Amino acid sequence: QQQVKQSPQSLIVQKGGISIINCAYENTAFDYFPWYQQFPGKGPALLIAIRPDVSEKKEGRFTISFNKSAKQFSLHIMDSQPGDSATYFCAAPTNAGGTSYGKLTFGQGTILTVHP
Amino acid sequence: GAVVSQHPSRVICKSGTSVKIECRSLDFQATTMFWYRQFPKKSLMLMATSNEGSKATYEQGVEKDKFLINHASLTLSTLTVTSAHPEDSSFYICSAARLAVYNEQFFGPGTRLTVL
């Protein structure tokens, strides 16, 4: 069964700084690692995802770095803004196919606060 | 693209009544939808996987007779909380998966259920 460990639980960053959130997974039959952003009272929104035929993916201020041998991936938010203040969840496929196909296992979440 | 809606966004009901929550993929067909439950400041807990035209698959510990799931079409899944009790109060979120793009899930805005 998949486990995804996310750290830190909370993060405070000054405006313009870099926010870094890390995740580690145990094993997976599929290579797909998304990050979701959730604001209070809202559903999670897909922020960025990586399929590790590459080790890094960048979309605007958001970058995923992936280390397959270490089974770790991280989210970097450059030039962090107060509007980025939210809870971030990483996820990994819930292991091999069959009834697990399509399922995601989520990390515990990181509450990011960006101070102006 | 990839918009998922949920209705209602908020519901308050009396103990013992049943509540139906609808999840729709608005601009894509979803052969699989997922239902999650989220407690305050916690991660997403998968309740069940809903496949169009077949019975839902429930996660261990989830009462299938209490949480009835129907996936009648490629764009609609419903969750019915039967004989709701205060302990069922929670934030329920659905997601729809474009499995041609494996594991990619898009979430609805969530439904806040309060049982008095």
Side-chain angles (χ1 to χ4, degrees):
Chain A
Q1 189 75 330
Q2 179 70 277
Q3 283 198 40
V4 178
K5 294 183 179 179
Q6 183 174 343
S7 63
Q9 281 189 311
S10 63
L11 179 62
I12 298 174
V13 175
Q14 292 296 317
K15 179 182 176 181
I18 302 174
S19 305
I20 302 174
I21 306 171
N22 301 298
C23 277
Y25 64 97
E26 291 192 334
N27 50 67
T28 179
F30 305 102
D31 287 338
Y32 172 76
F33 301 93
W35 284 90
Y36 287 87
Q37 178 189 56
Q38 186 179 29
F39 293 103
K42 305 294 184 183
L46 180 62
L47 187 63
I48 186 172
I50 193 168
R51 289 185 179 79
D53 46 351
V54 296
S55 60
E56 185 175 283
K57 181 176 181 180
K58 183 176 181 180
E59 289 185 358
R61 296 184 294 110
F62 302 93
T63 300
I64 296 179
S65 296
F66 179 74
N67 185 332
K68 188 168 185 175
S69 61
K71 296 183 180 178
Q72 294 176 347
F73 58 109
S74 61
L75 174 69
H76 294 233
I77 305 174
M78 310 300 288
D79 187 26
S80 299
Q81 299 296 311
D84 297 331
S85 297
T87 300
Y88 293 81
F89 293 98
C90 62
T94 307
N95 232 328
T99 58
S100 294
Y101 187 71
K103 291 183 183 178
L104 292 172
T105 299
F106 288 83
Q108 297 83 356
T110 297
I111 301 173
L112 172 65
T113 302
V114 181
H115 285 155
Chain B
V3 179
V4 178
S5 69
Q6 256 182 268
H7 179 80
S9 58
R10 185 182 296 269
V11 58
I12 300 173
C13 68
K14 292 183 178 180
S15 184
T17 60
S18 294
V19 174
K20 180 185 284 188
I21 303 170
E22 289 188 351
C23 177
R24 294 180 185 272
S25 56
L26 298 184
D27 52 2
F28 67 101
Q29 292 186 330
T31 54
T32 301
M33 290 184 173
F34 301 89
W35 287 94
Y36 294 84
R37 185 171 179 176
Q38 187 177 36
F39 293 101
K41 299 188 185 300
K42 295 295 184 182
S43 189
L44 298 152
M45 183 186 79
L46 180 65
M47 298 173 64
T49 302
S50 166
N51 291 296
E52 186 264 339
S54 63
K55 289 184 178 180
T57 303
Y58 292 81
E59 295 299 301
Q60 192 172 8
V62 177
E63 298 177 62
K64 57 184 68 175
D65 293 331
K66 165 163 279 293
F67 300 100
L68 300 179
I69 292 172
N70 182 271
H71 193 155
S73 76
L74 287 173
T75 60
L76 173 64
S77 177
T78 60
L79 168 69
T80 301
V81 183
T82 63
S83 186
H85 288 93
E87 58 265 29
D88 298 323
S89 298
S90 191
F91 192 51
Y92 293 89
I93 318 172
C94 71
S95 72
R98 300 194 303 189
L99 290 183
V101 188
Y102 55 79
N103 296 100
E104 188 175 61
Q105 294 184 29
F106 296 92
F107 284 84
T111 297
R112 172 72 59 193
L113 170 65
T114 302
V115 184
L116 302 177

